[in-house]
Amino acid sequence: MARVAVVTGASRGVGAAVALGLAQDGHDVVVAYRRDHDAAREVVAAIEAIGRRAVAVAASLADPDGPATIASTAIDTFGRVDTLAHCAGVACPGADVVDTPVAEFERQLAVHLYGPLRLTQALVPHLREQERSAVVFVSSAVTDHMRGLGSPYNVGKAAMEALARTLANEERYHGVRVNIVAPGLVDTELGRRFIRAAHGRDIHDLAPLLPFGSVCAPEDVAAVVRFLASEGAAHLSGVRLPVNGGDDDVSSNVAATRVALDELADGPRVGP
Ligand SMILES: NC(=O)c1ccc[n+]([C@@H]2O[C@H](COP(=O)([O-])OP(=O)(O)OC[C@H]3O[C@@H](n4cnc5c(N)ncnc54)[C@H](OP(=O)(O)O)[C@@H]3O)[C@@H](O)[C@H]2O)c1
């Protein structure tokens, strides 16, 4: 019998790459998303094209009933869940803490903490039914630095990681592995918009400043999620894997990136 994955944020970007990748690894997939119906249908079609089953479910994680809708779709359609990948996310406007409305923190916590929490609570009983199952939280390398001008996102991802690490400590005795993937800058709509808003630049303009000279692709992040969901990670739980080439400074530090982009315009970069 096929394994079953529930993937949030699966209509595009990292989530879409994770959904397709987990299908390639033998999962039938619940493609959960918020509102981009055409994009979700394309992901479902791509999964079906490789011979796996998929169902799309539109539900906002910020809606208290959204996670229950995703969970019941998974169980009603496939009858089991083996892998839960929390990939949905939203960026926030770049303002100082002192100028950021509390409502923006609430919006970030709704998507990065309360939505994943409710979905996890709904699906853990089903994950426990499998001999081995896995939960992966896609956080962000921002929690390494807590850079300025993004406090609601920093707080949302830090809360997500606290939830994930606590869950890992509890669920290892029930056969459920729980891990965190923390990307740096990724070439997705969210990443492209962030660089456009912060610097008025195309994301690929930063490539010469980034480790290995290129922007991380959604598939690069998905590869790590797929590994964490695989038997190869059978004894990994409670870990956080940064996917940022080992250096997140340029992509997460807006002020440093401004300086680096100016320097780049003055000539090639030499040394670290
Ligand atoms: N891109 C980066 O540079 C970067 C860096 C570090 C971490 N991350 C994290 O990686 C994850 C994936 O981001 P991405 O870059 O792939 O972003 P993306 O391309 O903007 O995709 C975001 C996904 O999340 C869904 N989503 C947004 N709000 C939602 C809500 N309230 N309820 C349910 N689904 C919602 C969107 O659905 P719709 O399309 O239907 O709205 C979409 O599928 C996020 O957790 C993000 O924080 C991204």
Side-chain angles (χ1 to χ4, degrees):
M1 183 183 278
R3 303 176 80 214
V4 172
V6 173
V7 183
T8 69
S11 55
R12 61 170 191 258
V14 170
V18 167
L20 191 56
L22 289 174
Q24 286 163 345
D25 297 338
H27 289 79
D28 292 335
V29 183
V30 177
V31 174
Y33 66 107
R34 178 177 46 167
R35 61 187 174 199
D36 191 343
H37 308 304
D38 290 343
R41 268 194 290 271
E42 278 180 31
V43 175
V44 167
I47 291 170
E48 289 173 344
I50 59 171
R52 296 254 62 98
R53 295 185 298 165
V55 62
V57 52
S60 175
L61 290 169
D63 172 354
D65 297 329
T69 302
I70 298 168
S72 61
T73 300
I75 299 307
D76 294 349
T77 308
F78 298 124
R80 62 185 281 167
V81 176
D82 304 80
T83 300
L84 169 58
H86 294 286
C87 303
V90 281
C92 67
D96 287 332
V97 171
V98 69
D99 296 322
T100 302
V102 170
E104 188 56 39
F105 287 84
E106 291 169 344
R107 189 175 82 96
Q108 286 288 323
L109 286 167
V111 177
H112 294 126
L113 176 64
Y114 295 119
L117 169 62
R118 289 189 175 101
L119 185 58
T120 300
Q121 287 178 329
L123 289 179
V124 158
H126 301 282
L127 291 160
R128 284 178 178 174
E129 283 172 11
Q130 306 309 320
E131 195 177 332
R132 287 287 175 94
S133 53
V135 182
V136 181
F137 288 83
V138 177
S139 177
S140 168
V142 294
T143 61
D144 287 328
H145 317 289
M146 300 298 179
R147 301 286 187 207
L149 304 177
S151 50
Y153 187 78
N154 293 353
V155 167
K157 289 304 195 185
M160 171 190 263
E161 291 188 16
L163 171 67
R165 290 175 57 197
T166 309
L167 191 71
N169 286 334
E170 295 171 355
E171 292 303 321
R172 63 173 55 98
Y173 303 106
H174 300 284
V176 185
R177 297 182 300 101
V178 183
N179 293 294
I180 300 164
V181 175
L185 186 65
V186 190
D187 184 10
T188 66
E189 193 164 319
L190 187 153
R192 290 187 288 270
R193 276 193 188 168
F194 169 63
I195 296 303
R196 181 65 63 193
H199 305 294
R201 305 290 286 260
D202 182 273
I203 195 169
H204 294 288
D205 290 350
L206 271 69
L209 304 169
L210 295 168
F212 309 115
S214 65
V215 184
C216 181
E219 291 74 18
D220 297 324
V221 180
V224 180
V225 176
R226 291 167 69 176
F227 165 66
L228 289 172
S230 76
E231 276 304 299
H235 286 271
L236 271 188
S237 195
V239 304
R240 176 183 178 277
L241 294 179
V243 185
N244 63 353
D247 174 7
D248 196 48
D249 203 44
V250 163
S251 57
S252 73
N253 186 335
V254 171
T257 306
R258 281 186 189 142
V259 173
L261 282 167
D262 288 345
E263 281 175 358
L264 191 68
D266 292 340
R269 201 180 197 210
V270 278

